[in-house]
DNA sequence: ATGGTTGACAATCAA
């Protein structure tokens, strides 16, 4: 089962990109972030025509998450973080073929020390407690999404700039990610690749993609119970080369069996 | 260079 995460930065604009990538990559499950669509505008009929069922939690203009599953049911759908009041639609979970999928659009945080940064850390704290509950109920768990955190210096093009006081790489953010991983969640990409300089996001500004000035902030985490089944993981750069692309590329993991 | 580009939505906000 191939499981992927993609921040599309407006599903309205990127539906043709998603369609092309679904045809080419043939994922079985996809977590989408930044749909930027109210639920009544979600293109579930179009996706059904491509063989994908969908569940979604969206809002106008900002945020919005969805999970797609090819020819499989999406059961026990959870929208939002239980017990955490949040206007922003950033979390959705569902069970597919006995694998629990949690799809996160982690708060960006703007800059270290801002209100949005404090919200990011609060939000990650709530996610930690939620994932502990999810793991207890569903040992076969995949947590994926736009984490808006680069795990370590291999995941940034310039560690001198992207340092312990910079957003997406600050100490508190990386500590929060490590705390999630300490629940028993493993970065699938790092189970198979140790090289530096493989990225999933490139800023639209300064020709960052052409210069390969990126970060790896889109992750697929697999639980202890799935670790041995995560036989392959990667990031698809191609969609970032297409006309009018998202600033993110899809990250994926393949579970054997 | 407190810049730069994209998306949603119509003057800014968010990333």
């Amino acid at each position: 089962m191939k499981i992927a995460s993609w921040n599309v930065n407006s599903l309205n604009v990127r539906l043709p990109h998603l369609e092309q990538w679904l045809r080419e990559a043939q994922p079985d499950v996809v977590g989408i972030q930044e749909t930027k669509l109210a639920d009544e505008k979600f293109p579930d009929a179009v996706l059904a025509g491509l063989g994908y069922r969908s569940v979604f939690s969206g809002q106008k203009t900002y945020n919005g998450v969805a999970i797609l599953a090819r020819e499989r049911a999406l059961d026990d759908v959870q929208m939002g973080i239980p017990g955490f009041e949040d206007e922003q639609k950033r979390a959705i979970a569902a069970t597919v073929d006995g694998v629990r999928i949690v799809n996160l659009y982690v708060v960006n945080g703007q800059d270290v020390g801002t209100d949005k940064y404090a919200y990011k850390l609060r939000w990650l704290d709530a996610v930690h407690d939620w994932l502990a509950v999810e793991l207890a109920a569903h040992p076969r768990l995949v947590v994926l999404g736009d984490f808006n955190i680069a795990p370590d210096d291999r995941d940034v093009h310039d560690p001198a700039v992207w340092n312990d006081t910079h957003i997406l790489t600050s100490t508190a953010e990386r500590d929060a990610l490590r705390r999630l991983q300490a629940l028993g969640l493993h970065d699938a990409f790092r189970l198979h690749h140790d090289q530096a300089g493989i990225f999933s996001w490139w800023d639209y500004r300064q020709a960052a993609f052409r210069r390969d000035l990126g970060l790896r902030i889109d992750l697929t985490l697999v639980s202890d119970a799935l670790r041995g089944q995560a036989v392959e993981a990667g990031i698809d750069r191609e969609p970032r080369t297409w006309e009018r692309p998202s600033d993110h590329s899809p990250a994926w993991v393949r579970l054997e069996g």
Side-chain angles (χ1 to χ4, degrees):
Chain A
M1 186 157 68
K2 183 174 181 180
I3 302 171
S5 172
W6 195 7
N7 180 325
V8 296
N9 187 19
S10 168
L11 187 51
N12 192 36
V13 173
R14 238 65 74 182
L15 183 57
H17 305 67
L18 179 61
E19 292 183 44
Q20 181 174 344
W21 178 75
L22 290 174
R23 280 195 303 273
E24 293 179 1
Q26 294 288 313
D28 298 297
V29 179
V30 187
I32 298 174
Q33 306 89 36
E34 282 205 273
T35 59
K36 299 186 175 181
L37 288 176
D39 287 345
E40 61 269 23
K41 305 237 172 133
F42 193 88
D44 49 341
V46 174
L47 294 168
L50 300 171
Y52 288 86
R53 303 185 208 182
S54 46
V55 294
F56 40 89
S57 176
Q59 63 190 102
K60 199 169 95 157
T61 307
Y62 301 120
N63 308 308
V65 286
I67 302 175
L68 316 184
R70 184 171 58 170
E71 289 155 10
R72 290 168 172 84
L74 293 143
D75 297 320
D76 300 321
V77 177
Q78 166 69 41
M79 298 178 189
I81 304 165
F84 184 79
E85 282 298 315
D86 196 355
E87 298 288 305
Q88 304 191 17
K89 307 301 189 188
R90 296 178 171 276
I92 188 167
T95 302
V96 181
D97 265 0
V99 176
R100 187 66 169 166
I101 308 290
V102 174
N103 176 26
L104 304 176
Y105 173 43
V106 175
V107 178
N108 174 284
Q110 190 178 41
D111 277 306
V112 173
T114 62
D115 288 349
K116 289 175 184 171
Y117 183 77
Y119 165 52
K120 181 176 196 171
L121 297 180
R122 275 201 313 279
W123 195 89
L124 287 164
D125 197 44
V127 165
H128 173 274
D129 294 350
W130 177 34
L131 292 181
V133 174
E134 288 286 340
L135 262 171
H138 310 278
R140 293 166 57 80
L141 175 67
V142 174
V143 183
L144 53 78
D146 175 0
F147 280 74
N148 269 317
I149 303 170
D152 65 53
D153 285 352
R154 293 172 295 176
D155 303 310
V156 307
H157 63 87
D158 186 352
V161 171
W162 297 89
N163 61 24
D164 58 355
T165 63
H166 200 290
I167 196 69
L168 312 189
T169 52
S170 74
T171 302
E173 291 168 83
R174 283 176 163 170
D175 284 351
L177 176 59
R178 272 194 287 270
R179 192 156 164 265
L180 298 185
Q181 296 189 256
L183 292 167
L185 295 166
H186 311 279
D187 183 347
F189 183 83
R190 286 294 175 215
L191 295 177
H192 298 283
H193 308 277
D194 62 5
Q195 71 266 42
I198 307 296
F199 307 129
S200 67
W201 170 81
W202 300 261
D203 200 291
Y204 285 122
R205 295 166 283 193
Q206 320 261 357
F209 182 67
R210 181 178 60 71
R211 301 158 67 201
D212 201 21
L213 306 181
L215 275 68
R216 191 175 68 91
I217 56 177
D218 299 274
L219 311 178
T220 60
L221 310 181
V222 296
S223 63
D224 289 331
L226 292 177
R227 182 178 187 160
Q229 286 171 255
V231 293
E232 194 182 3
I235 297 168
D236 289 349
R237 284 176 61 97
E238 298 80 40
R240 190 63 175 79
T241 70
W242 297 345
E243 199 73 25
R244 209 180 179 192
S246 169
D247 46 350
H248 296 253
S249 274
W252 54 268
V253 59
R254 184 185 304 281
L255 303 181
E256 74 177 354

